[in-house]
Structures are given as C-alpha cells and as structure tokens.
Amino acid sequence: MPRSDEAAAFFHAVYSAVQEIPYGKVTSYGHIAKLVGTPQRPRQVGVCLKHLPEDPDARFNHDNVPWQRVINSKGVISPRSQPSGSQNQAAALEAEGVTVSRSAMGELTVDFAEFGWFPRILPSEEAQGLQPHIDEEEDSS
C-alpha cells in the first residue's frame, strides 16, 4: 500500500507501535498517531490498519499486528466497510478478555478506564532512554 518512502516509514511506525499494545488492552487511533510523532494523523493510522496485509509472510500482517486493539477516541469500535467487521473486532477483543458493550445507539464500546492503554512513550522507546513525542500538557486519548 505505501507509495513513497515517507508512507512506508509511517506504516512501519504505526505497525510497530500497535505491536506494543499489551494483550487485553486498547488504545485509540489518535494515541497511536501521537506516539509515532504525528498527532494530526489519526485517520491515517486507521488507513494503515485497514491495509494491514493478511499474507503471513509479510513482515507486518494480521497475525503479528494486533489491529483489534485500536479503536476510536470515544471508546467505540469504528464501523467497517463490511457489515461483520466491527463484530469481528469485538470478538477478537473479547477473546483477550476485553469487555465489549453495546451503547444505547447500538455502537460496540470498550471502557477506556478499565482497558485503556495510553503511555506517554512507547515501551520500546522508553527502554532506549528516548523522550516522549507527546507534550505533557496534551490529553492522552
């Protein structure tokens, strides 16, 4: 999917960051964007995950990037182009022990207070002694 070196680097950064989300936790598209240094690009994080290869031989693929752990900033599993897409994501999260509820509007939701993962810096970067991309004053979702 990436059509330039810059896009390829962004896809790589997003996939690598998503791989760091712990089992049984969720975060938002916007938080991943902040963690990779592009807080203005949450929708592009969604594009990266939409185009995650299914090929198990690809460096990043559906098996090694836990795409299901990324939801929107309201704690809602975003609708997909195929009708069963959000239900599949909910089932994958439930398999990890994440409670998925249905709102009064019929949206599939996850409680960030219980299952949210919003570090100021990626654990891999913290281990290297790097500083956060996120400004301390910014909201973490």
Side-chain angles (χ1 to χ4, degrees), residues 125-140:
E125 292 180 344
E126 187 172 36
Q128 295 173 26
L130 300 175
Q131 296 299 311
H133 295 288
I134 302 171
D135 183 348
E136 286 189 39
E137 303 299 317
E138 287 187 37
D139 180 10
S140 63

Side-chain angles (χ1 to χ4, degrees), residues 5 40 45 60 72 79 93-94 102 104 106 120:
D5 290 344
Q40 71 283 13
V45 169
F60 297 109
N72 76 28
L93 288 171
E94 288 171 333
R102 194 168 289 277
R120 291 187 20 74

Side-chain angles (χ1 to χ4, degrees), residues 1-138:
M1 175 64 188
R3 298 177 191 257
S4 69
D5 290 344
E6 178 185 0
F10 183 73
F11 273 66
H12 185 277
V14 167
Y15 294 154
S16 295
V18 171
Q19 285 180 321
E20 295 194 45
I21 304 169
Y23 184 89
K25 295 293 183 180
V26 297
T27 197
S28 68
Y29 298 102
H31 196 71
I32 293 296
K34 288 176 186 179
L35 287 172
V36 301
T38 57
Q40 71 283 13
R41 297 177 74 182
R43 289 179 189 230
Q44 286 80 4
V45 169
V47 169
C48 291
L49 295 175
K50 178 181 179 179
H51 294 288
L52 184 62
E54 292 188 31
D55 178 2
D57 294 329
R59 178 173 183 183
F60 297 109
N61 60 63
H62 273 264
D63 294 330
N64 67 19
V65 177
W67 58 270
Q68 72 275 11
R69 298 179 191 159
V70 185
I71 61 178
N72 76 28
S73 63
K74 296 176 186 172
V76 174
I77 295 175
S78 298
R80 302 287 184 284
S81 54
Q82 72 268 30
S84 62
S86 56
Q87 191 60 50
N88 291 344
Q89 185 172 4
L93 288 171
E94 288 171 333
E96 294 186 15
V98 174
T99 302
V100 178
S101 303
R102 194 168 289 277
S103 73
M105 299 293 291
E107 298 170 316
L108 297 169
T109 64
V110 175
D111 182 1
F112 279 142
E114 184 173 357
F115 298 104
W117 182 77
F118 297 98
R120 291 187 20 74
I121 186 170
L122 287 167
S124 62
E125 292 180 344
E126 187 172 36
Q128 295 173 26
L130 300 175
Q131 296 299 311
H133 295 288
I134 302 171
D135 183 348
E136 286 189 39
E137 303 299 317
E138 287 187 37

